[in-house]
Amino acid sequence: MNIENKIAIVTGASSGIGLALSRLLSEKGAKVALVARSKEKLEALSKEIPHSLAVPADMTVRTDVVRAVKGTVEHFGGVDILINNAGRGYDAPVETMDIEEFRRTLGLNVIGPVTAMQLVIPIMRIRGGGTIMNVSSGTALMHLPNMSPYSSSKRALAGISLTAREELKRDNIVVSVVYPFITDTDFEKNTVKDIIDDESPQDSEKFTPDTPEYIAQRIVEGIESGEAEIFAHDWMKDLPGKA
């Protein structure tokens, strides 16, 4: 897809990967609906990012998602690109994970994106096609102790994405999934942890975090190429979850 003059919705747009991606899409000539919970932050960013619209919404609340999509269509005239980037982490052992916390994680990481997809697909179909990019995680390709609540939600999102890709081919709607790795954002700080600190995986210390701008560039490359799966690094294609 050529991004220039396209209309994009980016969830989780107030910081990290979502913010970097919103800026990059705008630089490439797209009109961008900035979706996140923080109204004040979004309104400030909309003044900074050309051709952008602040759309406060909680992606776990269906009425908010409906309002966000409707507001985007009313303001810009349609939707060509959906980036489901909003997400949260929850780390806990399978034996003791809090089921309600797990439900909340699934609500944001899986149900929210699917809800947004269901709302934009008919719009894209009328417009002759579109692109949906769902942000998964490198953890979905691994089997890390204490990370099953989060990684399973991201594995589910990846599976839904690749299935939808097959279902929507005939409508010229391209669905892709991106797998970031360790990224320099506030994600870890905002992760809910029901584990003892020294039980956490230590492998992350071996890697230099990617910048949000790097991941944003990889996502844009994926939009432009239409690839099914976009990996932050090629070596991730050999992780156990891809076997």
Side-chain angles (χ1 to χ4, degrees), residues 136-144 151 154-155 158-159 162 179 229 231 235-243:
S136 180
S137 166
T139 64
L141 309 175
M142 297 179 274
H143 312 126
L144 299 175
S151 64
K154 290 301 189 176
R155 187 181 288 264
L162 297 175
Y179 303 98
E229 297 179 284
F231 300 85
W235 58 261
M236 295 172 67
K237 298 174 184 178
D238 298 322
L239 288 169
K242 292 303 295 176

Side-chain angles (χ1 to χ4, degrees), residues 121-200:
I121 286 168
I123 299 168
M124 290 179 175
R125 184 178 289 122
I126 291 171
R127 292 171 69 83
T131 292
I132 297 171
M133 183 73 70
N134 291 327
V135 180
S136 180
S137 166
T139 64
L141 309 175
M142 297 179 274
H143 312 126
L144 299 175
N146 301 314
M147 294 192 71
S148 66
Y150 175 67
S151 64
S152 64
S153 71
K154 290 301 189 176
R155 187 181 288 264
L157 182 61
I160 289 167
S161 304
L162 297 175
T163 301
R165 182 182 179 88
E166 297 302 314
E167 295 172 348
L168 297 171
K169 276 183 177 178
R170 62 185 179 185
D171 297 307
N172 197 32
I173 297 173
V174 179
V175 185
S176 303
V177 57
V178 59
Y179 303 98
F181 196 56
I182 300 167
T183 311
D184 188 11
T185 69
D186 289 335
F187 178 83
E188 190 65 24
K189 183 177 75 174
N190 296 327
T191 293
V192 177
K193 294 181 181 288
D194 284 344
I195 57 176
I196 299 172
D197 286 345
D198 61 9
E199 292 179 346
S200 301

Side-chain angles (χ1 to χ4, degrees), residues 88-107 146 148-150 152 192-195:
R88 59 168 298 190
Y90 174 41
D91 295 349
V94 173
E95 182 181 4
T96 58
M97 77 166 75
D98 183 278
I99 295 303
E100 289 308 311
E101 198 66 59
F102 187 37
R103 288 184 199 278
R104 285 189 284 271
T105 301
L106 292 172
N146 301 314
S148 66
Y150 175 67
S152 64
V192 177
K193 294 181 181 288
D194 284 344
I195 57 176

